Amino acid sequence: MPMRIQFSRHGGPEVLDYLDYQPSAPGPHEVRVQNQAIGLNFIDTYFRSGLYAPPSLPSGLGTEGAGIVEAVGSAVNGFQVGDRVAYATGPLGAYSELHVLPAEKLVKLPDAISFEQAAALMLKGLTVQYLLRQTFALQGGETILFHAAAGGVGSLACQWAKALGVKLIGTVSSAEKAARAKEQGAWATIDYSHENVAQRVLELTDGKKCPVVYDGVGKDTWETSLDCVAPRGLLVSFGNASGAVSGVNLGILAQKGSLFVTRPTLAGYADTPSRLQSMADELFAMISSGQLQVDISNRYALKDAALAQTALSARQTTGSTILLP
């Protein structure tokens, strides 16, 4: 009998159960995937804790994985049994040996990309793709600011920016994280624990500030980020690690230089199967060329998902963590 992780109540990692689970046959537009590797992401802990509400309880967990197509629905075109595939945007239930999901959520995985690489990179890598290549299409030569540059998304952004010929200034919270960001390709770092971010950006840009600032932190960095955007520049607020930005006075955008602000999501960019596959193809090409390196520093058996989440929440992990069925 296949196994999966599920939870019947909200709480800490202790609410995660490892149980027998027989998924349904795929519906007409669905595919059943035999997972070979599963991504672990901080958002998973939000569903488990109840910060985000799953559709119903008991619920599976996880939205990212890679594996082999095991069954296809009657109306599915483009995928067949035996195909190597990957996915990043749900539905919940990726923490499982078998996972049924809409075919439109899947991408074809080239032979050059391993299941482990895909599971570790799909969500974070596609996020960096839309941020750097679509939300603000970097051309090379820009100097940009990226918050939390040593994190999972930030580390990939450092590498991708360097490959594009972009000078990325990364904010970090310690000397160790500064060193990590520099190793990943950051042009400069600012340790916000003891440096004034806006002042350092002015110094690093000869007073010009940045045409685009990428802020996945949210509430705590909102005003600082605005102070780092050049006139008529763009603030990309793509996450809320410190809480959501609220109560925004649009007049502040005028005061600080006719600024633009956007709040994008991956789902908003990967909103058709063709766009999703196109984004994934560019991500896979960056990996195949060696311009993006995936750092899988933690591997846990699927049954040990609670241990993996405990380590993640305690900030004991670096790089990516994956679960192996």
Side-chain angles (χ1 to χ4, degrees):
M1 177 74 78
M3 306 291 286
R4 81 159 177 173
I5 296 289
Q6 72 176 42
F7 60 106
S8 301
R9 58 190 172 90
H10 295 297
E14 70 279 357
V15 305
L16 299 181
D17 296 315
Y18 184 58
L19 302 171
D20 292 347
Y21 171 69
Q22 183 58 56
S24 61
H29 299 281
E30 293 180 327
V31 170
R32 193 165 63 210
V33 177
Q34 183 176 26
N35 282 327
Q36 303 296 304
I38 299 153
L40 181 82
N41 295 287
F42 218 86
I43 193 173
D44 302 343
T45 69
Y46 296 164
F47 283 105
R48 184 208 71 218
S49 69
L51 182 65
Y52 293 172
S56 62
L57 292 176
S59 172
L61 193 59
T63 62
E64 179 183 38
I68 300 166
V69 172
E70 190 230 32
V72 297
S74 58
V76 171
N77 293 311
F79 294 100
Q80 58 189 18
V81 172
D83 281 350
R84 303 174 81 251
V85 294
Y87 56 92
T89 56
L92 291 179
Y95 286 22
S96 182
E97 293 180 4
L98 295 176
H99 187 29
V100 175
L101 67 165
E104 65 182 13
K105 300 290 188 182
L106 292 172
V107 298
K108 292 280 187 69
L109 185 63
D111 291 341
I113 309 298
S114 73
F115 293 119
E116 291 194 1
Q117 286 176 314
L121 270 183
M122 278 290 288
L123 188 63
K124 301 177 186 73
L126 291 176
T127 297
V128 174
Q129 194 282 335
Y130 85 73
L131 290 173
L132 304 192
R133 304 290 289 143
Q134 298 187 71
T135 305
F136 188 102
L138 294 165
Q139 303 299 308
E142 299 95 342
T143 301
I144 68 174
L145 181 68
F146 205 104
H147 286 294
V153 172
S155 295
L156 293 176
C158 289
Q159 295 179 52
W160 207 317
K162 185 176 182 179
L164 291 171
V166 169
K167 293 180 176 178
L168 183 147
I169 303 169
T171 69
V172 295
S173 60
S174 68
E176 293 77 16
K177 289 186 175 181
R180 175 174 171 78
K182 292 293 284 288
E183 288 170 4
Q184 297 295 311
W187 172 69
T189 57
I190 302 172
D191 186 340
Y192 61 79
S193 67
H194 67 270
E195 293 183 283
N196 182 301
V197 173
Q199 184 60 40
R200 283 292 292 139
V201 166
L202 275 176
E203 295 167 0
L204 289 164
T205 60
D206 296 325
K208 296 177 181 177
K209 302 185 182 180
C210 298
V212 60
V213 171
Y214 295 100
D215 188 342
V217 177
K219 179 167 62 76
D220 290 354
T221 50
W222 165 253
E223 292 192 12
T224 294
S225 292
L226 288 173
D227 287 334
C228 296
V229 182
R232 299 175 302 283
L234 175 66
L235 171 53
V236 182
S237 179
F238 69 95
N240 43 266
S242 67
V245 177
S246 61
V248 175
N249 170 15
L250 288 179
I252 198 171
L253 303 178
Q255 297 165 19
K256 293 184 181 293
S258 298
L259 306 184
F260 294 86
V261 174
T262 185
R263 178 61 176 90
T265 64
L266 174 56
Y269 280 85
D271 59 344
T272 68
S274 61
R275 271 196 278 268
L276 172 59
Q277 186 67 58
S278 177
M279 292 166 65
D281 287 344
E282 185 173 2
L283 171 63
F284 296 151
M286 291 291 290
I287 301 168
S288 297
S289 69
Q291 292 175 296
L292 274 190
Q293 302 284 335
V294 55
D295 174 20
I296 304 173
S297 44
N298 309 278
R299 292 173 174 84
Y300 289 84
L302 176 60
K303 64 181 177 64
D304 294 327
L307 292 176
Q309 287 200 357
T310 298
L312 183 70
S313 297
R315 300 294 198 274
Q316 294 171 351
T317 65
T318 59
S320 294
T321 298
I322 59 172
L323 305 175
L324 299 174

